[in-house]
Amino acid sequence: SATYLGFEIKAVDAEETYYINTHDTVLWSEMDQYFPDNIPQVYSAVMQAGVPDAIIGMPRGFYFYWDDENERTDMGVGVQVTSSNMTLEGYETTTVKAGKTLVLDYYGSYNDSEKAHFAVDEFMTDRGLEMGDMAIEEYVTDPTTVENESEILTRITYYVK
């Protein structure tokens, strides 16, 4: 592990995982609204499919591509599920292959997490690493259950080539 911009970054071998998620191109200016507009619907779709035990952990945000020039991102939100065989109409089933990742635990407001992403980017640049298929934010702490934003934990995982 190493510390960049005040954040500890760990190299982790990740196992294959499966997700039910949205997948859209979203303008940066619309990202804050994208999460509350979509996370409840993903959860509801899995619950209505009669497989609530299939959900593993908390919701996640997926970032497949970041377009600085046009201020947009190719992203989605979803939940981890137990099987790649689970499909729901209107949603993607994403299989994330096992591989090398960089993991950072960020505490604070979602809106201020940019510095944590810069830390991972700097770490990768210093080591000659390239981002793999995606970065995933796992929203470990429900912000409605804490008194202070500094208690909100977001686990940021970058898949690397």
Side-chain angles (χ1 to χ4, degrees):
S1 74
T3 301
Y4 276 73
L5 303 178
F7 298 101
E8 182 181 9
I9 301 170
K10 299 176 185 175
V12 176
D13 290 325
E15 296 179 6
E16 185 170 276
T17 51
Y18 317 104
Y19 300 90
I20 299 293
N21 56 279
T22 62
H23 192 165
D24 296 292
T25 299
V26 180
L27 295 173
W28 292 356
S29 61
E30 298 171 357
M31 285 176 60
D32 285 347
Q33 195 57 43
Y34 186 81
F35 292 93
D37 284 352
N38 289 281
I39 288 175
Q41 286 80 354
V42 175
Y43 265 99
S44 178
V46 174
M47 299 297 265
Q48 288 177 3
V51 285
D53 293 341
I55 296 174
I56 300 171
M58 296 296 285
R60 287 151 171 93
F62 304 89
Y63 300 89
F64 303 99
Y65 179 76
W66 195 257
D67 182 352
D68 289 320
E69 184 178 334
N70 296 300
E71 297 187 352
R72 63 184 181 189
T73 183
D74 182 25
M75 66 173 292
V77 295
V79 293
Q80 185 177 348
V81 293
T82 55
S83 170
S84 63
N85 296 326
M86 185 174 188
T87 59
L88 294 176
E89 188 176 337
Y91 297 96
E92 289 188 3
T93 300
T94 301
T95 297
V96 180
K97 300 290 183 194
K100 303 283 183 197
T101 66
L102 301 174
V103 179
L104 178 154
D105 284 350
Y106 166 75
Y107 287 88
S109 166
Y110 300 135
N111 296 329
D112 296 329
S113 65
E114 186 176 65
K115 186 177 177 185
H117 289 276
F118 289 149
V120 176
D121 186 55
E122 190 174 305
F123 180 97
M124 289 192 298
T125 299
D126 285 355
R127 286 162 174 74
L129 300 172
E130 291 182 47
M131 184 174 158
D133 292 337
M134 70 180 70
I136 298 176
E137 292 183 346
E138 178 182 5
Y139 308 111
V140 178
T141 307
D142 178 346
T144 65
T145 65
V146 297
E147 291 184 23
N148 188 308
E149 286 185 336
S150 66
E151 299 175 63
I152 300 171
L153 169 59
T154 302
R155 182 157 296 123
I156 300 171
T157 303
Y158 275 73
Y159 286 78
V160 293
K161 293 181 182 177

